């Protein structure tokens, strides 16, 4: 009896049970013990294909021919070089093994494959490290933006997880209806409208000098240029509407910075500050430290 209890406890507490990996079909992460192995048939693989995706954008991280051009998550495969059983979550398996075999609702084949592995390295790096302001300059339209700093200090100065904190900010994102006739055709845009950032918490408003060290509000001209040129050359929606890159607008993005500077603040940036009560003072030297606590909604 005792040995059975110990064995059961060891099985349930085995560290491998708590290791997470991805479903091959939908790429959602689950604990390893929640997966079931699926032996892919030709019919299953056919359901997981997407004929609308160009061959040049199909995944390159596994043998696409071996898996009959099915759009899969390589982390879930047991063998990326040859057709083999792969891990599936219970939800996807239910669709693939039903009598009316059909594509699971969150399968990567339903245009959830973004071909990131096909991006040139410098383009991928630009998208991965772009600030919210960089991304706003490559978009043809945008919504209002509010930036919040969630206070994570407890009453005694200790760290308090955001989800358990009893004091936090609430913000609403206002999205104005977009007139499709007014989508931007020149990028970066000639930024004239004020872009406002609201900082909450702390006893002092951040200075311009402190903002120059604050990544989330900075613009990097080289990244913006790289992303725009890539989209203009490769995105059919940018191409069909004749979107073009403007060097003139690029040179006027950062009017308060040196012409040779790659990073800086937009000239139309407006900074507002909503102070809190005692105990939430933010020193000038703290702005680099709290960047990970910033929640930005675009």
């Amino acid at each position: 009896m005792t040995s059975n209890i110990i064995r059961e406890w060891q099985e349930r507490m085995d560290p491998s049970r708590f290791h997470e990996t991805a479903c091959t079909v939908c790429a959602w992460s689950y604990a390893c013990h929640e997966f079931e192995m699926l032996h892919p048939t030709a019919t299953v693989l056919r359901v997981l294909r997407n004929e609308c995706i160009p061959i040049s954008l199909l995944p390159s991280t596994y043998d696409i021919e071996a898996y009959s051009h099915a759009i899969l998550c390589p982390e879930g495969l047991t063998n990326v070089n040859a057709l083999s059983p792969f891990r599936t979550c219970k939800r996807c398996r239910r669709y693939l093994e039903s009598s009316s075999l059909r594509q699971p609702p969150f399968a990567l084949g339903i245009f959830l494959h973004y071909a990131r592995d096909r991006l040139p390295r410098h383009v991928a790096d630009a998208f991965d490290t772009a600030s919210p302001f960089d991304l706003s300059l490559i978009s043809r339209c945008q919504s209002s933006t509010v930036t919040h700093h969630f206070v994570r200090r407890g009453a005694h100065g200790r760290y308090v997880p955001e989800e358990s904190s009893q004091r936090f900010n609430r913000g609403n994102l206002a999205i104005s209806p977009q007139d499709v006739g007014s989508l931007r055709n020149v990028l970066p845009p000639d930024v004239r409208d004020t872009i406002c950032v609201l900082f909450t918490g702390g006893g002092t408003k951040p200075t311009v000098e402190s903002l120059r060290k604050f990544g989330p509000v900075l613009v990097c001209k080289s990244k913006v240029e790289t992303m725009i040129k890539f989209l203009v050359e490769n995105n059919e929606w940018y191409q069909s509407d004749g979107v073009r890159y403007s060097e003139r607008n690029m040179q006027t993005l950062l009017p308060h910075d040196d012409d040779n500077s790659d990073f800086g603040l937009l000239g139309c940036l407006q900074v507002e500050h909503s102070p809190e009560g005692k105990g939430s003072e933010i020193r000038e030297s703290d702005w680099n430290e709290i960047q990970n606590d910033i929640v930005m909604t675009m």
Side-chain angles (χ1 to χ4, degrees):
M1 179 68 176
T2 302
S3 61
N4 290 337
I5 294 175
I6 294 175
R7 187 183 305 108
E8 182 180 353
W9 183 88
Q10 290 177 329
E11 291 176 354
R12 293 193 176 187
M13 299 304 294
D14 189 326
S16 63
R17 287 177 57 85
F18 302 98
H19 175 69
E20 290 191 347
T21 190
C23 171
T24 308
V25 178
C26 67
W28 285 36
S29 294
Y30 297 93
C32 287
H33 71 273
E34 297 184 47
F35 288 101
E36 297 178 0
M37 299 303 294
L38 179 72
H39 295 266
T41 63
T43 306
V44 166
L45 294 175
R46 190 179 307 114
V47 168
L48 298 177
R49 294 170 61 172
N50 187 331
E51 304 294 347
C52 295
I53 297 178
I55 293 179
S56 60
L57 296 182
L58 291 176
S60 62
T61 48
Y62 59 91
D63 190 333
I64 193 73
E65 296 293 338
Y67 287 92
S68 302
H69 289 207
I71 309 299
L72 307 171
C73 174
E75 283 75 15
L77 296 173
T78 56
N79 190 334
V80 296
N81 298 314
L83 183 63
S84 302
F86 52 68
R87 302 179 188 89
T88 55
C89 63
K90 294 178 181 178
R91 179 182 55 189
C92 290
R93 190 181 182 92
R94 185 168 63 249
Y95 283 90
L96 295 175
E97 291 189 335
S98 66
S99 56
S100 56
L101 174 65
R102 60 190 188 278
Q103 195 172 51
F106 294 103
L108 295 180
I110 309 181
F111 295 102
L112 295 178
H113 166 64
Y114 300 116
R116 292 182 183 273
D117 56 312
R118 293 291 192 174
L119 288 175
R121 177 51 16 201
H122 70 289
V123 175
D125 288 342
F127 277 102
D128 288 342
T129 60
S131 73
F133 280 53
D134 291 331
L135 297 177
S136 72
L137 295 172
I138 71 171
S139 304
R140 301 187 62 200
C141 62
Q142 68 186 73
S143 61
S144 301
T145 304
V146 179
T147 304
H148 285 291
H149 172 217
F150 288 82
V151 178
R152 294 190 176 189
R153 294 185 178 90
H156 303 289
R158 293 178 297 179
Y159 171 84
V160 178
E162 181 180 309
E163 60 272 14
S164 62
S165 174
Q166 296 303 307
R167 299 182 62 197
F168 57 91
N169 297 312
R170 287 183 178 176
N172 293 320
L173 176 65
I175 301 179
S176 303
Q178 295 287 339
D179 179 1
V180 295
S182 64
L183 294 180
R184 298 167 178 166
N185 287 324
V186 177
L187 296 173
D190 182 5
V191 184
R192 298 177 181 177
D193 295 333
T194 298
I195 298 180
C196 179
V197 181
L198 173 65
F199 287 88
T200 66
T204 58
K205 181 178 179 178
T207 64
V208 173
E209 288 308 311
S210 64
L211 289 176
R212 292 185 192 280
K213 305 174 185 177
F214 197 58
V217 300
L218 294 178
V219 166
C220 176
K221 293 196 293 186
S222 61
K223 291 180 184 177
V224 173
E225 179 179 355
T226 295
M227 293 186 288
I228 292 175
K229 288 185 175 179
F230 176 80
L231 291 171
V232 168
E233 294 171 3
N234 297 278
N235 186 289
E236 63 175 291
W237 303 109
Y238 281 60
Q239 292 173 342
S240 62
D241 286 347
V243 177
R244 60 185 177 85
Y245 168 77
S246 171
E247 182 62 31
R248 175 182 173 279
N249 288 353
M250 175 64 72
Q251 296 306 321
T252 59
L253 279 182
L254 313 177
H256 305 306
D257 292 271
D258 188 292
D259 289 339
N260 296 322
S261 176
D262 194 33
F263 285 88
L265 299 170
L266 288 174
C268 62
L269 181 65
Q270 177 183 343
V271 179
E272 297 295 336
H273 178 240
S274 176
E276 282 200 50
K278 296 180 180 180
S280 59
E281 188 77 18
I282 297 179
R283 303 185 307 277
E284 192 74 14
S285 60
D286 287 343
W287 288 104
N288 283 335
E289 300 174 10
I290 66 172
Q291 292 190 46
N292 292 332
D293 290 343
I294 291 292
V295 177
M296 303 195 75
T297 307
M298 296 299 292

